[in-house]
Amino acid sequence: MNSYARSTGMRLAKDCLLRIYDELDMSVRVSSGVVWITQEGDTNDYILQNGDRFSISKRGLTIVSALADATVLLKKPDRKTDARSKNTNGFATVSKSIVSALARFAG
């Protein structure tokens, strides 16, 4: 059984940035292309290619940068089954953060 409540696919053009705020445990899976990921509070950077998956492990800002045209799938954990979180409205949170990220990207 899938432990994620909601997911969203996004296409990123080369050099496009996606900013994700405070989405602890959200997973980023690369369906095509290559992305670079860095997160606030983590001294490591991560390069993901087709089929790779990354789980956001820090609160704060996470940046996903397309090193080539890429398609990524963002999955938010189902907070009803995640004992570490008291948030039971995961869909609204993920939708709000994705809309916020798209607004920053478009602006």
Side-chain angles (χ1 to χ4, degrees):
M1 184 167 159
N2 191 344
S3 64
Y4 291 96
R6 302 285 184 245
S7 64
T8 300
M10 298 186 78
R11 291 186 185 160
L12 303 174
K14 182 180 178 192
D15 298 325
C16 179
L17 294 177
L18 174 63
R19 293 173 183 89
I20 302 170
Y21 295 92
D22 290 327
E23 292 296 344
L24 186 63
D25 296 330
M26 175 181 275
S27 90
V28 178
R29 186 175 61 83
V30 179
S31 299
S32 65
V34 181
V35 301
W36 163 75
I37 297 178
T38 189
Q39 57 183 349
E40 188 175 344
D42 187 348
T43 58
N44 296 310
D45 290 342
Y46 306 89
I47 304 294
L48 279 66
Q49 299 178 30
N50 187 20
D52 291 340
R53 183 174 104 25
F54 176 83
S55 183
I56 297 174
S57 61
K58 305 285 183 187
R59 293 206 182 274
L61 177 62
T62 300
I63 296 175
V64 179
S65 176
L67 299 179
D69 289 350
T71 302
V72 297
L73 180 64
L74 305 175
K75 289 186 177 181
K76 180 77 175 180
D78 180 0
R79 294 301 187 191
K80 291 180 182 177
T81 60
D82 186 350
R84 292 176 291 172
S85 175
K86 294 180 178 146
N87 178 9
T88 59
N89 194 359
F91 177 69
T93 302
V94 108
S95 298
K96 190 177 194 180
S97 67
I98 291 171
V99 168
S100 179
L102 290 172
R104 285 185 192 92
F105 170 71

